[in-house]
Amino acid sequence: MSRRTCWLCKMCGDASESPPSNLTLEELLQWAQSFEKLMATKYGPAVYAAYLKTEHSDENIQFWMECETYKKITLRWSRVYRAKKLYKIYIQPQSPREINIDSSTREAIIRNIQEPTQSCFEEAQKIVYTHMERDSYPRFLKSEMYQNLLKSIQSNNS
């Protein structure tokens, strides 16, 4: 887990901890407007990842974030190395953090990984994004983690 979520982990375990002062009520309320807005904010992805970790399903957000990084790779050798690593961790059947994608998407990745492009994992990333948006995101908004964070920020503002 990244350094940005340490305050969150502490806060969940100790009510005396408070979120970073630059996490605003406005940002927190944006998270409830749409999954896209949650993912576009500074702290949203980190908090959401912490929530998914409590559900033992953080492989989805980790894969999505690693794909965002992968798409920015410009050096061919680096892209090849990273593509193979992503495949071994998230795509390969029975891999340690296997994501839930259909077989045709998996097969397309296997074909494309020989000469990986920046869009090699795009379809799998879309599938994972949709899973998160439709499945765990609504639970996140109802979760004790999000509700406690909202109450904490609201009480700090009053």
Side-chain angles (χ1 to χ4, degrees):
M1 193 65 27
S2 74
R3 225 174 241 248
R4 285 195 297 182
T5 59
C6 291
W7 59 267
L8 182 63
C9 296
K10 290 176 185 174
M11 188 176 137
C12 291
D14 180 359
S16 68
E17 287 289 331
S18 61
S21 59
N22 53 352
L23 176 59
T24 65
L25 181 59
E26 180 184 358
E27 179 178 343
L28 207 57
L29 292 173
Q30 281 181 352
W31 299 354
Q33 292 174 5
S34 72
F35 185 64
E36 185 178 349
K37 288 187 178 182
L38 167 80
M39 296 301 285
T41 62
K42 181 176 181 179
Y43 292 104
V47 173
Y48 186 63
Y51 168 73
L52 289 178
K53 194 170 184 112
T54 68
E55 284 202 327
H56 306 288
S57 63
D58 62 322
E59 68 279 352
N60 291 326
I61 188 79
Q62 295 302 327
F63 173 73
W64 188 87
M65 291 178 4
E66 287 198 38
C67 284
E68 289 298 293
T69 302
Y70 171 82
K71 288 190 274 188
K72 296 173 186 167
I73 297 172
T74 55
L75 296 174
R76 184 190 169 283
W77 67 268
S78 186
R79 187 171 38 241
V80 168
Y81 171 79
R82 183 64 67 117
K84 288 179 180 179
K85 186 175 177 183
L86 285 171
Y87 175 78
K88 286 179 184 175
I89 295 171
Y90 299 104
I91 308 297
Q92 185 175 336
Q94 307 299 315
S95 61
R97 302 178 58 74
E98 183 181 0
I99 56 169
N100 184 12
I101 55 173
D102 58 88
S103 60
S104 61
T105 302
R106 189 179 315 276
E107 289 165 9
I109 291 171
I110 292 169
R111 281 191 308 275
N112 295 333
I113 205 164
Q114 304 310 316
E115 278 298 321
T117 63
Q118 289 175 314
S119 61
C120 183
F121 296 98
E122 198 168 279
E123 188 59 31
Q125 189 182 19
K126 287 178 187 174
I127 291 168
V128 164
Y129 186 93
T130 301
H131 286 321
M132 292 187 297
E133 183 176 38
R134 292 185 181 162
D135 185 34
S136 53
Y137 170 66
R139 287 194 310 274
F140 167 72
L141 294 177
K142 295 175 186 171
S143 73
E144 189 176 329
M145 178 184 284
Y146 177 71
Q147 295 302 318
N148 286 345
L149 192 54
L150 192 57
K151 286 175 190 169
S152 174
I153 296 286
Q154 286 172 330
S155 68
N156 287 350
N157 285 351
S158 36

PDB file of all heavy atoms in Angstrom, residues 42 45 47 93 98-99 103 105 111 127 133 139:
ATOM      1  N   LYS A  42      -7.315  13.113  -6.254  1.00  0.00           N
ATOM      2  CA  LYS A  42      -5.982  12.830  -5.698  1.00  0.00           C
ATOM      3  C   LYS A  42      -5.997  11.626  -4.753  1.00  0.00           C
ATOM      4  O   LYS A  42      -5.171  10.728  -4.873  1.00  0.00           O
ATOM      5  CB  LYS A  42      -5.460  14.069  -4.967  1.00  0.00           C
ATOM      6  CG  LYS A  42      -4.077  13.872  -4.384  1.00  0.00           C
ATOM      7  CD  LYS A  42      -3.536  15.126  -3.757  1.00  0.00           C
ATOM      8  CE  LYS A  42      -2.133  14.882  -3.209  1.00  0.00           C
ATOM      9  NZ  LYS A  42      -1.563  16.067  -2.607  1.00  0.00           N
ATOM     10  N   PRO A  45      -8.353   7.068  -5.565  1.00  0.00           N
ATOM     11  CA  PRO A  45      -7.852   5.725  -5.870  1.00  0.00           C
ATOM     12  C   PRO A  45      -7.165   5.042  -4.685  1.00  0.00           C
ATOM     13  O   PRO A  45      -7.319   3.841  -4.482  1.00  0.00           O
ATOM     14  CB  PRO A  45      -6.853   5.971  -7.010  1.00  0.00           C
ATOM     15  CG  PRO A  45      -7.341   7.226  -7.657  1.00  0.00           C
ATOM     16  CD  PRO A  45      -7.870   8.073  -6.523  1.00  0.00           C
ATOM     17  N   VAL A  47      -7.747   5.539  -1.402  1.00  0.00           N
ATOM     18  CA  VAL A  47      -8.754   5.158  -0.402  1.00  0.00           C
ATOM     19  C   VAL A  47      -9.557   3.967  -0.914  1.00  0.00           C
ATOM     20  O   VAL A  47      -9.819   3.013  -0.177  1.00  0.00           O
ATOM     21  CB  VAL A  47      -9.674   6.347  -0.050  1.00  0.00           C
ATOM     22  CG1 VAL A  47     -10.811   5.909   0.849  1.00  0.00           C
ATOM     23  CG2 VAL A  47      -8.865   7.451   0.627  1.00  0.00           C
ATOM     24  N   PRO A  93      -3.622 -17.781 -16.227  1.00  0.00           N
ATOM     25  CA  PRO A  93      -4.502 -18.593 -15.385  1.00  0.00           C
ATOM     26  C   PRO A  93      -3.760 -19.104 -14.143  1.00  0.00           C
ATOM     27  O   PRO A  93      -2.603 -19.503 -14.219  1.00  0.00           O
ATOM     28  CB  PRO A  93      -4.905 -19.751 -16.302  1.00  0.00           C
ATOM     29  CG  PRO A  93      -4.777 -19.185 -17.682  1.00  0.00           C
ATOM     30  CD  PRO A  93      -3.587 -18.242 -17.614  1.00  0.00           C
ATOM     31  N   GLU A  98      -4.812 -13.136 -10.170  1.00  0.00           N
ATOM     32  CA  GLU A  98      -5.558 -13.256 -11.429  1.00  0.00           C
ATOM     33  C   GLU A  98      -6.833 -12.417 -11.394  1.00  0.00           C
ATOM     34  O   GLU A  98      -7.613 -12.477 -10.448  1.00  0.00           O
ATOM     35  CB  GLU A  98      -5.911 -14.720 -11.685  1.00  0.00           C
ATOM     36  CG  GLU A  98      -6.627 -14.948 -12.993  1.00  0.00           C
ATOM     37  CD  GLU A  98      -6.988 -16.409 -13.217  1.00  0.00           C
ATOM     38  OE1 GLU A  98      -6.693 -17.259 -12.355  1.00  0.00           O
ATOM     39  OE2 GLU A  98      -7.586 -16.687 -14.270  1.00  0.00           O
ATOM     40  N   ILE A  99      -7.023 -11.635 -12.435  1.00  0.00           N
ATOM     41  CA  ILE A  99      -8.226 -10.822 -12.561  1.00  0.00           C
ATOM     42  C   ILE A  99      -9.288 -11.604 -13.332  1.00  0.00           C
ATOM     43  O   ILE A  99      -8.980 -12.555 -14.053  1.00  0.00           O
ATOM     44  CB  ILE A  99      -7.944  -9.472 -13.264  1.00  0.00           C
ATOM     45  CG1 ILE A  99      -7.302  -9.699 -14.636  1.00  0.00           C
ATOM     46  CG2 ILE A  99      -7.091  -8.572 -12.365  1.00  0.00           C
ATOM     47  CD1 ILE A  99      -7.238  -8.461 -15.496  1.00  0.00           C
ATOM     48  N   SER A 103     -12.301 -15.336 -21.646  1.00  0.00           N
ATOM     49  CA  SER A 103     -11.225 -16.077 -22.319  1.00  0.00           C
ATOM     50  C   SER A 103     -10.772 -15.421 -23.628  1.00  0.00           C
ATOM     51  O   SER A 103      -9.588 -15.470 -23.958  1.00  0.00           O
ATOM     52  CB  SER A 103     -11.650 -17.525 -22.576  1.00  0.00           C
ATOM     53  OG  SER A 103     -12.796 -17.561 -23.401  1.00  0.00           O
ATOM     54  N   THR A 105     -10.580 -12.221 -24.277  1.00  0.00           N
ATOM     55  CA  THR A 105      -9.693 -11.111 -23.916  1.00  0.00           C
ATOM     56  C   THR A 105      -8.332 -11.653 -23.489  1.00  0.00           C
ATOM     57  O   THR A 105      -7.289 -11.139 -23.897  1.00  0.00           O
ATOM     58  CB  THR A 105     -10.316 -10.254 -22.789  1.00  0.00           C
ATOM     59  OG1 THR A 105     -11.581  -9.776 -23.218  1.00  0.00           O
ATOM     60  CG2 THR A 105      -9.420  -9.099 -22.400  1.00  0.00           C
ATOM     61  N   ARG A 111      -1.737 -13.355 -27.475  1.00  0.00           N
ATOM     62  CA  ARG A 111      -1.250 -13.118 -28.844  1.00  0.00           C
ATOM     63  C   ARG A 111      -0.446 -11.814 -28.915  1.00  0.00           C
ATOM     64  O   ARG A 111       0.608 -11.756 -29.539  1.00  0.00           O
ATOM     65  CB  ARG A 111      -2.417 -13.041 -29.832  1.00  0.00           C
ATOM     66  CG  ARG A 111      -2.988 -14.374 -30.232  1.00  0.00           C
ATOM     67  CD  ARG A 111      -3.954 -14.247 -31.395  1.00  0.00           C
ATOM     68  NE  ARG A 111      -5.006 -13.263 -31.209  1.00  0.00           N
ATOM     69  CZ  ARG A 111      -6.166 -13.465 -30.585  1.00  0.00           C
ATOM     70  NH1 ARG A 111      -6.425 -14.659 -30.065  1.00  0.00           N
ATOM     71  NH2 ARG A 111      -7.065 -12.504 -30.472  1.00  0.00           N
ATOM     72  N   ILE A 127     -12.626  -4.008 -18.763  1.00  0.00           N
ATOM     73  CA  ILE A 127     -13.437  -5.021 -18.078  1.00  0.00           C
ATOM     74  C   ILE A 127     -13.299  -4.876 -16.563  1.00  0.00           C
ATOM     75  O   ILE A 127     -14.287  -4.877 -15.832  1.00  0.00           O
ATOM     76  CB  ILE A 127     -13.041  -6.443 -18.545  1.00  0.00           C
ATOM     77  CG1 ILE A 127     -13.468  -6.650 -20.001  1.00  0.00           C
ATOM     78  CG2 ILE A 127     -13.650  -7.509 -17.639  1.00  0.00           C
ATOM     79  CD1 ILE A 127     -12.887  -7.884 -20.651  1.00  0.00           C
ATOM     80  N   GLU A 133     -16.671  -0.600 -11.013  1.00  0.00           N
ATOM     81  CA  GLU A 133     -17.725   0.415 -11.044  1.00  0.00           C
ATOM     82  C   GLU A 133     -19.085  -0.169 -10.663  1.00  0.00           C
ATOM     83  O   GLU A 133     -19.842   0.446  -9.910  1.00  0.00           O
ATOM     84  CB  GLU A 133     -17.791   1.020 -12.444  1.00  0.00           C
ATOM     85  CG  GLU A 133     -18.799   2.130 -12.600  1.00  0.00           C
ATOM     86  CD  GLU A 133     -18.733   2.749 -13.988  1.00  0.00           C
ATOM     87  OE1 GLU A 133     -18.518   2.008 -14.984  1.00  0.00           O
ATOM     88  OE2 GLU A 133     -18.883   3.977 -14.078  1.00  0.00           O
ATOM     89  N   ARG A 139     -20.739  -0.688  -2.969  1.00  0.00           N
ATOM     90  CA  ARG A 139     -20.487  -1.143  -1.590  1.00  0.00           C
ATOM     91  C   ARG A 139     -19.542  -0.199  -0.870  1.00  0.00           C
ATOM     92  O   ARG A 139     -19.692   0.052   0.326  1.00  0.00           O
ATOM     93  CB  ARG A 139     -19.920  -2.569  -1.594  1.00  0.00           C
ATOM     94  CG  ARG A 139     -20.935  -3.624  -1.939  1.00  0.00           C
ATOM     95  CD  ARG A 139     -20.445  -5.033  -1.593  1.00  0.00           C
ATOM     96  NE  ARG A 139     -19.126  -5.352  -2.083  1.00  0.00           N
ATOM     97  CZ  ARG A 139     -18.862  -5.824  -3.297  1.00  0.00           C
ATOM     98  NH1 ARG A 139     -19.824  -6.006  -4.167  1.00  0.00           N
ATOM     99  NH2 ARG A 139     -17.631  -6.118  -3.645  1.00  0.00           N
TER     100      ARG A 139
END
